[in-house]
Each structure stands twice: as C-alpha cells, then as structure tokens.
Amino acid sequence: MATKASIVFAHGLWADGSCFNKLIPALQAEGREVYASQHGLDSLEGDVACVTRAINHVPGPVVLVGHSYGGTLITKAGTHDRVGALVYLAALAPDEGETTQDQQDKFPTMPVFGHLDVTDGRIWLLESGIGDFCGDLPAAEQKLVLATGAVPVPDLFAQQVPGTAWRTTPSWYVVANNDRTVNPDLQRATAERIGATTHAVDSSHVPMLSHPDVVLDVIRAAAKTLDG
C-alpha cells in the first residue's frame, strides 16, 4: 500500500495552530495525516520539544511546515530521522550558532515592532499592530488572529539549541513580498542561503491565511517528493 507523507505545522509568535486552518482540511481530504504543534513560546527548547512530539505522533515520512519563528523550530526539530522536507512560510531559519535574533538583526527592523507591549513577562502584539501582521485579511479575520495568538517570552529569539536541518534536508520557501513583520529581504536571503525552491507571493506576513492555495501547492510539491 502506498504511503503518503504526513504534515506537521509549527506556528510563530502571536499565532497558534489555528493559523493553518485554511490548509489542514484540504490536506486531510487528500488522505494525509496532519498535526499542528501547539507550543507555548515559553522557551526555544520547549517549543522544539513540542514540535518533535508532533512529529512522533504522525506516521511515515514527514513534511515540516514552519511560519515565521516556526521556521526556527523546524530548522531545529527537522533533524528528526523521519523528516524529509521543510517548508518555510515567511520564516526564519538560523544557521548553527546563530540565534533567531542574530538573523533578524542583519536587516532593518519592521513596522510591527513599534506596536508591542511587555506585560506579565510576555511580549503582546497591540491591536494597533495587527495591520502590520496580517493587513491583507478582512477585518474580522484580523481580529480572530489577534484573539488566538500565543504570546512569547521576551528573550525567546536570543535562545539557542542545536540543529540545522536545512543543511541536509530539501527545503521550500514562500516569500511574502509585502511582509511588515519579517523583512522580505531577509526572507529572500534566507531562501537563497538554504537552497530552497522559492515561491514569492504578494502577501502580508500570513500567506497561509491570505493566499492558502499558493501555500497548499508548495506543501503538496514537497509532500509528493516523499510519497511512497
């Protein structure tokens, strides 16, 4: 019996697994096992462990899909022996010895970072910044994103754990040309550095919500390389 690759999603900051809800039903309808890691952004080590548990939970070869900081997570967790493809969505992908913050600091700061508030030991995205995060979504969807986002500890991007899966695992990258959260120039440089098959789309920081068909096609292309 033919095997189909499973899909594991890793969300970023100010998001949770529901940010992939326009992708998951379509992939399930194609007979794929799908799981979205629900990590708490408490520590890089803990978040990577959560993604690893999700990988262990699904069968067969695995496509890891990471959005934003989720790209750091799939870079680390993707060294798992059943991961055969990495898909980065407007994502970070630090090299060994490089932190997520190191990678961001090489490019100009983006507008969203002017709309943050540190309270209760967490960095909250203010409502005034939601347009910089997902401004190409309808207003009601923007409010839903704001209401369902996980909130990071302040030093999350400065933390480090080993693992650089893109050095040995084929990668795909969706560049969000109109991103105001992760610099599009950073995205293009990252895609080139990791040798990814690259697709650009005129999107905000959330192409999986504003252009789900484009993202689905990229995930399908990655998955087909692993299907038995």
Side-chain angles (χ1 to χ4, degrees):
M1 183 177 174
T3 59
K4 287 195 171 186
S6 296
I7 314 295
V8 168
F9 288 102
H11 66 78
L13 276 54
W14 311 306
D16 75 347
S18 69
C19 72
F20 304 110
N21 63 9
K22 295 183 181 179
L23 311 178
I24 291 171
L27 294 165
Q28 289 173 330
E30 294 165 12
R32 298 190 185 280
E33 290 280 340
V34 185
Y35 200 84
S37 171
Q38 294 284 76
H39 39 276
L41 310 181
D42 300 308
S43 73
L44 178 57
E45 182 179 20
D47 291 345
V48 171
C50 192
V51 175
T52 300
R53 288 194 294 272
I55 297 167
N56 290 336
H57 179 68
V58 299
V62 175
V63 179
L64 276 186
V65 183
H67 172 243
S68 195
Y69 161 77
T72 297
L73 299 183
I74 70 170
T75 296
K76 307 298 183 181
T79 57
H80 193 292
D81 60 8
R82 285 197 296 113
V83 172
L86 306 168
V87 178
Y88 292 86
L89 310 177
L92 298 144
D95 204 347
E96 198 70 29
E98 179 183 47
T99 67
T100 307
Q101 192 62 50
D102 290 338
Q103 194 182 9
Q104 279 213 310
D105 286 345
K106 295 173 182 175
F107 294 84
T109 301
M110 299 304 288
V112 78
F113 291 97
H115 301 274
L116 305 178
D117 176 56
V118 181
T119 303
D120 292 333
R122 298 280 169 161
I123 304 177
W124 300 81
L125 175 62
L126 298 173
E127 188 170 5
S128 60
I130 196 66
D132 291 325
F133 191 75
C134 55
D136 55 353
L137 299 180
E141 285 192 45
Q142 292 186 44
K143 289 181 178 180
L144 182 61
V145 169
L146 189 64
T148 55
V151 189
V153 294
D155 69 341
L156 188 62
F157 277 16
Q159 296 178 23
Q160 182 63 284
V161 300
T164 316
W166 51 258
R167 289 200 166 274
T168 54
T169 305
S171 302
W172 286 254
Y173 199 111
V174 176
V175 173
N177 288 331
N178 302 329
D179 202 327
R180 293 169 62 84
T181 297
V182 171
N183 193 313
D185 289 335
L186 182 158
Q187 296 180 40
R188 286 184 275 269
T190 298
E192 182 175 359
R193 178 169 78 167
I194 70 177
T197 301
T198 305
H199 301 263
V201 61
D202 291 333
S203 170
S204 73
H205 187 52
V206 292
M208 65 283 189
L209 288 170
S210 59
H211 295 81
D213 290 345
V214 173
V215 175
L216 275 169
D217 283 346
V218 174
I219 294 171
R220 288 180 181 123
K224 284 176 182 174
T225 67
L226 302 180
D227 290 344

